[in-house]
């Protein structure tokens, strides 16, 4: 069966609350089934705009294009999109080369809106089909261009009024300020003062920076003293500290911005002085920023390439926090490391081990193997709850009962018994609403079940790419590492760092069949979250099942372990890894 890759994109996070995702996903699945294809990967760029090609440069679609360039996508495969405007809304001259590169690689592009298949054969047979695609791309770009111009014009007028009147634009303010209204209803801002006020935290950050303390040392002190961050809920972060030090809003300035032709934010005129009440003076601001510049010049800095961190987005500490990727400069004294972000900030985790990034990468790439994915897995026969089709039958049954009760209420209008039927209708409406929500949750779970064949394919791809990596040139390495990152994300839910082990978790589609002694050792079960209560129309509060309120099952793939007790029992050594399968 030929392979299909479904690509789903919409521009704003608000669209995720609607029907856009379900519609695109189900239509892609229906087309693949009807035409004899199997969807091996469903790629999502949710809330990513395609107006300036962000999805083709940084998103999942960009990773897919990189895989095509590396010849990792089999000829005869297809990319399924709802319409070409999901592919890109950039200028036609910018999107057309990417589109033709896909076609010339022997991969078709299916547009579900009009049922077209763009491939080498169809374009050679009918050149006007390409013209139709160009028209769709042109209209999509023009629509986005008009929308962008309207929004830009509205904000341009707001910024003009700001400079004329000096009145604040909105209540969006820095965290150390409080927004209020005066007697005439106009916005005013004041500092959050007092012993525990946020303004004093800002002054402390500036003072300690001038004293020579680095941002990580400042963060540890703030978290140790229980000072709550006003930029996030997860304790203070080094990035929050540097944002405050660099911000001229601390001086009371507001810099209006606008977007250029490439979508980048650029200053719009001079800063507006005294827009906010200042929290520090100019002298302290300059001294603190000079201190930061000196430390950055002499320190290790951050990785220069986005592909330096091969497991970004996957690496998590066993405490649940993300693993921080550190660049401590060049060897022999420096190097790149992983460390628990909470432990690094003294924020409740004791797992302070530094993992050398090169060793981690070696363990992951050398130990990865597709044979481990399904060999020990046998699904349980019993499914967890009704299927979407079974919910459909229940909904149809309740609907028929509601309609019968409605008819009875109408026949007995004006009689005392009518109230009984009306109450019955209300109860059945609530039951139907509940069933419809549970049916939708079941459908989402069905669609989101991991495909173990796709997981195996991703792992095989990583193994093949890893063999090419050592001999590749600089530019080739970037392309290969980008593809590896994408395939690792396809295969693994997370890569967990424990005090003495690195473990990859591969989600399984079903509950594993238990053995006499319980679940087999390589599996991990994650307990369900509490069902969220919802208020029905009659005021009754019920708990609604959701995808997150179900148990999830994972295959545990150990990349490396060096538990001291285990090593001692084996007579010593530097670490233990499971031998790679042939």
């Amino acid at each position: 069966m030929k392979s299909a890759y479904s690509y789903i994109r919409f521009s704003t996070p608000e669209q995720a609350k609607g029907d856009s995702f379900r519609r695109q996903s189900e239509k892609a699945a229906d087309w693949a089934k009807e035409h004899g294809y199997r969807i091996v990967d469903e790629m999502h760029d949710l809330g990513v705009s395609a107006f300036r090609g962000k999805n083709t440069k940084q998103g999942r679609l960009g990773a897919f294009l990189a895989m095509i360039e590396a010849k990792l996508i089999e000829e005869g495969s297809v990319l399924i999109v709802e319409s070409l405007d999901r592919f890109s809304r950039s200028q036609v001259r910018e999107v057309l080369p990417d589109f033709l590169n896909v076609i010339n690689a022997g991969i078709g592009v299916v547009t579900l809106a009009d049922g077209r298949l763009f491939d080498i054969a169809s374009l050679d047979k009918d050149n006007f089909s390409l013209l139709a695609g160009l028209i769709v791309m042109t209209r999509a770009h023009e629509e986005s261009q008009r929308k962008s111009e309207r929004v830009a014009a509205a904000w341009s007028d707001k910024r003009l009024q700001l400079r004329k009147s000096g009145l604040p634009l909105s209540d969006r303010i820095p965290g150390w300020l409080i927004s209020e209204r005066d007697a005439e209803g106009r916005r005013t801002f004041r500092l959050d003062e007092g012993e525990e006020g946020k303004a004093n935290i800002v002054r402390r950050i500036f003072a300690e920076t001038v004293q020579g303390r680095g941002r990580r040392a400042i963060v540890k002190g703030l978290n140790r003293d229980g000072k709550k961050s006003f930029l996030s809920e997860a304790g203070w972060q080094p990035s929050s500290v540097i944002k405050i030090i660099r911000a001229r809003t601390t001086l009371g300035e507001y810099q209006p911005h606008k977007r250029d032709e490439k979508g980048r934010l650029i200053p719009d005129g001079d800063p507006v002085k005294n827009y906010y009440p200042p929290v520090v003076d100019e002298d302290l601001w300059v001294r603190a920023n000079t201190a930061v510049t000196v430390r950055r010049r002499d320190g290790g800095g951050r990785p220069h390439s986005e592909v330096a961190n091969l497991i970004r987005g996957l690496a998590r500490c066993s405490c649940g926090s993300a693993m921080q990727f550190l660049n401590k400069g060049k060897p022999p004294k420096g190097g790149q490391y992983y460390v628990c972000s909470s432990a690094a900030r003294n924020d409740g985790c004791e797992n302070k081990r530094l993992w050398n990034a090169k060793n981690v990468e070696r363990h992951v790439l050398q130990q990865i193997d597709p044979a481990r994915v399904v060999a020990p897995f046998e699904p349980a026969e019993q499914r967890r709850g009704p299927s979407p089709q079974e919910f459909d039958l229940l909904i149809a049954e309740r609907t028929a009962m509601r309609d019968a009760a409605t008819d009875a209420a109408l026949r007995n209008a004006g009689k005392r018994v009518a109230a009984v039927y009306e109450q019955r209708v209300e109860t059945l409406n609530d039951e139907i609403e509940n069933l419809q929500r549970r049916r939708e949750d079941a459908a989402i779970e069905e669609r989101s079940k991991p495909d173990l064949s796709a997981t195996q394919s991703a792992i095989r791809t990583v193994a093949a790419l890893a063999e090419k990596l050592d001999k590749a040139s600089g530019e080739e390495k970037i392309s290969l590492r980008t593809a590896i990152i994408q395939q690792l994300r396809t295969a693994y839910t997370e890569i967990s760092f424990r005090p003495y082990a690195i473990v990859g978790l591969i989600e399984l589609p079903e509950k594993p069949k238990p053995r006499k002694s319980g679940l087999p050792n390589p599996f991990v079960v994650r307990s369900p979250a509490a069902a969220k209560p919802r208020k029905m129309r009659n005021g009754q509060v019920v708990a609604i099942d959701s995808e997150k309120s179900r148990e999830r099952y994972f295959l545990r793939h150990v990349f490396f372990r060096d538990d001291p007790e285990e090593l001692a029992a084996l007579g010593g050594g530097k670490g233990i890894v499971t031998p790679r399968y042939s």
Side-chain angles (χ1 to χ4, degrees), residues 286-344:
V286 170
R287 286 189 291 133
N289 276 270
T290 301
V292 169
T293 301
V294 170
R295 288 184 64 87
R296 281 196 166 182
R297 184 190 64 206
D298 297 337
R302 297 180 66 87
H304 295 291
S305 172
E306 290 185 353
V307 297
N309 181 1
L310 203 64
I311 55 175
R312 71 173 189 267
L314 290 174
R316 303 198 74 81
C317 177
S318 55
C319 76
S321 299
M323 294 294 288
Q324 187 175 347
F325 187 75
L326 299 178
N327 188 347
K328 291 184 169 292
K330 296 180 180 180
K333 293 185 177 180
Q336 295 173 336
Y337 300 90
Y338 292 99
V339 65
C340 172
S341 57
S342 290

Side-chain angles (χ1 to χ4, degrees), residues 15 155 159 234 298 312 314 329 525:
Q15 288 176 280
W155 274 102
R159 291 191 294 270
D298 297 337
R312 71 173 189 267
L314 290 174
V525 180

